[in-house]
Amino acid sequence: MSPGARTLYDKIWEAHLVEIRGDGTSLLYIDRHLVHEVTSPQAFEGLRLAGRPLRRPKAILSVADHNVPTRKREAGIADATSRLQVEALEANVQAFAVPYVPLLDDRQGIVHVIGPEQGFTLPGATVVCGDSHTSTHGAFGALAFGIGTSEVEHVLATQTLPQRHSRNMRVHFEGSLPDGLGAKDLALYLIGRIGTAGGTGHVMEFAGRAVRALSMEGRMTLCNMSIEAGARSGLVAPDDTTFAYMKGRPMAPAGPLWEQALANWRNLPTDEGATFDRELRLEVGDLAPQLTWGTSPESVVAITGQVPDPGTAPSAAEREGILRALEYMGLQPGTLMEDVPIQVVFIGSCTNGRIEDLRAAARVALGRKVATGVRALVVPGSGLVKRQAEVEGLDRIFLEAGFEWRQPGCSMCLAMNDDRLEPGERCASTSNRNFEGRQGRGGRTHLVSPEMAAAAAVMGHFTDVRRLLEAR
Amino acid sequence: MIPFTTLTGIAAPMLRANIDTDLIIPKLFLKTLVRTGLGRHLFAELRYDNEGHEAPNFVLNQAPYRQATILLAGPNFGCGSSREHAPWALLDFGIRCVIASSFADIFYNNCFANGILPIALPIAAIEDLAAASGPLTVDLQAQTVAVAGRLHPFDIDPARKASLIEGLDQIGRSLANLPAIEAFEARRSRETPWL
Ligand code: SF4
């Protein structure tokens, strides 16, 4: 340990202290606030009822994403309650003069996709949103975390939040990922190892060669899933990959301000010799593609593995948990994962709905056909991702293979719009949660990477994507 | 916010692990614009069958647990989505206290914002509470849960305890320090003008 050496998390924390209260909490200044239609109406209402003004409208970027249709959007939202919620957002942002990306704008998309895309998310900033996957923005070296609606109201009114300092944790991913594997495999592997409560109370910094090698999209995938490991936030230290991604984005600093910001950002990474409360090293050089079998993101196996046997569980409670999950998922212990058939494929979400993800899936889908009886959706994370994919011809690859090519939104990640699983349907999904009912009541979700989702789509069952890539 | 001091009531046992907020309140009910009225949808997918009838074997559909004001759960309660609809649904049903062996961070925070007391106890203590028949008494001031003459002490952060007991308005508290916020903003626009 070196005296004075600080972690990335501690540097951001200290730079945002408005007040240290004597009771273990601190008032933290919030730089960036993302707002969507589901978790904000009660917050705006609270503000109104208390007669409080909104402190800093310019610190906000708002968009509707959860409820929005991904087909024929131009015709309006058919579902009345969804429409009301989107209209409520539009009325609120207008009343409070909050920057808003309209539904039919090309820049519309999932809140965690458009923040970085617009250059709204910045290294060293504090970023919040009434949404647990706000952790995504940690990929830029921003302290980003999900909050509840009461806290949304708190930020709207004060631009601050009372917080307690979290513990520091660092996860090193050593080695280089094999071809066909990506950030999603890292995330699933980690959660499989430490469990969904493994990071509770911690801010988790990701380091190591495999992380440095990731694109910004990959880093976002990894940080996105840190909440599934229970962590408050995920973080990746900003570097030249980060700066190259950000330069020239509409809301990023430009000109002399860019140079000034850059100098500041280069000081953000964790100092040599800084200590963490917990450190974990994982060797990933010969990792196999990862996927989930059960109803928790920690129910992870390698594609070369099989459905677990409850008989081998270490305790009665865990055995019962496995049995319950197997029943819900309609799986038999010992079944090879490659033998599990799927009926639906969902490629999208704030985890894997970015351009790199679509490229990775298209690489597998190219020249192949979606298996008979499989419904496969590709839902770009934003209008700009969609447009870029179309420029590159990825939409043609998907459409020719038999995938549906949709308009951007959260879609089947949580099925608040019309995209959902029917009871008993089994889905290879690039989203982040396989909870019971998450993608539709009775629906069965297996979390996978975009490559693995595309492979499942063309085979009709889970497949080791490495074989399909070798066959090229 | 309604202050929390003591609570005596029926505790419904749901001792499974990782009860996530999707399970507590499914997304179907997130389209609401208000905080109230979610109690009848609490645990909807477990509580009702596909036709919308009550599932008789679900704990909250059984006497005396229909009147439960306390919930007993296993590890990592409230994991997943940040939806505050989860505590709103619990509160609207009548639950003022959740006792679990551990909690997910965001849910834990959200409870305090709504006057719900989340108590972390070792699983053995929770099993003891679940085995007891009759009501439990939670005393926040004394930091104990009592059942049939047995006392289980619990830990809680003093600041959170005080804010629950007083039913504090957190926003009002932060705004009371407006000069500090303004000073911070002035410094911030000098030092990091791109923010
Ligand atoms: S894509 Fe899924 S996880 Fe991401 S913000 Fe939307 S609903 Fe939440």
Side-chain angles (χ1 to χ4, degrees), chain A residues 36 65-66 110-112 131 133 224 348-351 409-411 413-414 431-433 438:
Chain A
H36 67 67
D65 54 3
H66 283 62
I110 305 168
V111 71
H112 308 308
D131 195 288
H133 291 102
N224 175 278
S349 87
C350 61
T351 313
C410 294
S411 177
C413 173
L414 97 162
S431 56
N432 42 47
R433 287 188 176 137
R438 170 80 178 182

Side-chain angles (χ1 to χ4, degrees), chain A residues 19 29 55 150 414 437, chain B residues 27 48 84 174 177 185 188:
Chain A
E19 181 198 359
Y29 194 79
R55 176 146 189 87
S150 295
L414 97 162
Chain B
K27 69 232 150 207
Y48 307 105
E84 201 164 312
S174 294
N177 217 347
E185 284 178 335
R188 177 178 168 279

Side-chain angles (χ1 to χ4, degrees), chain B:
Chain B
M1 199 183 76
I2 336 152
F4 189 111
T5 48
T6 62
L7 171 68
T8 296
I10 299 292
M14 279 188 78
L15 295 196
R16 62 195 269 190
N18 299 324
I19 292 183
D20 58 75
T21 52
D22 275 74
L23 204 60
I24 298 172
I25 184 80
K27 69 232 150 207
L28 220 64
F29 310 109
L30 306 188
K31 298 185 187 182
T32 177
L33 302 176
V34 295
R35 285 174 155 100
T36 48
L38 289 169
R40 64 177 180 279
H41 307 303
L42 177 71
F43 293 114
E45 290 183 3
L46 301 175
R47 204 157 136 211
Y48 307 105
D49 65 18
N50 288 334
E51 278 73 55
H53 304 302
E54 284 191 359
N57 51 7
F58 183 64
V59 60
L60 296 183
N61 291 331
Q62 297 164 358
Y65 303 118
R66 285 177 186 281
Q67 271 71 49
T69 52
I70 301 165
L71 199 65
L72 303 174
N76 203 25
F77 187 87
C79 60
S81 156
S82 64
R83 60 188 70 168
E84 201 164 312
H85 308 70
W88 294 338
L90 287 164
L91 197 62
D92 197 61
F93 179 89
I95 305 280
R96 288 292 314 275
C97 173
V98 181
I99 305 177
S101 52
S102 63
F103 292 90
D105 287 339
I106 303 179
F107 176 83
Y108 190 76
N109 273 332
N110 283 343
C111 281
F112 288 97
N114 290 282
I116 296 178
L117 170 62
I119 299 177
L121 281 180
I123 194 72
I126 296 173
E127 281 166 357
D128 177 54
L129 298 174
S133 57
L136 313 184
T137 296
V138 176
D139 185 336
L140 177 54
Q141 191 60 53
Q143 296 182 209
T144 54
V145 184
V147 65
R150 295 187 299 282
L151 273 189
H152 294 282
F154 62 87
D155 280 335
I156 184 166
D157 173 275
R160 297 202 198 260
K161 175 177 173 177
S163 88
L164 266 190
I165 290 178
E166 291 159 36
L168 267 188
D169 167 17
Q170 293 295 339
I171 298 180
R173 186 178 173 206
S174 294
L175 280 177
N177 217 347
L178 201 55
I181 300 175
E182 285 167 346
F184 182 94
E185 284 178 335
R187 183 161 58 86
R188 177 178 168 279
S189 22
R190 271 196 320 274
E191 291 172 2
T192 54
W194 58 89
L195 278 174

Side-chain angles (χ1 to χ4, degrees), chain A residues 445-466:
Chain A
T445 303
H446 296 263
L447 303 176
V448 291
S449 69
E451 293 92 329
M452 284 287 287
V458 299
M459 299 302 286
H461 55 83
F462 291 111
T463 302
D464 191 334
V465 66
R466 293 173 299 180

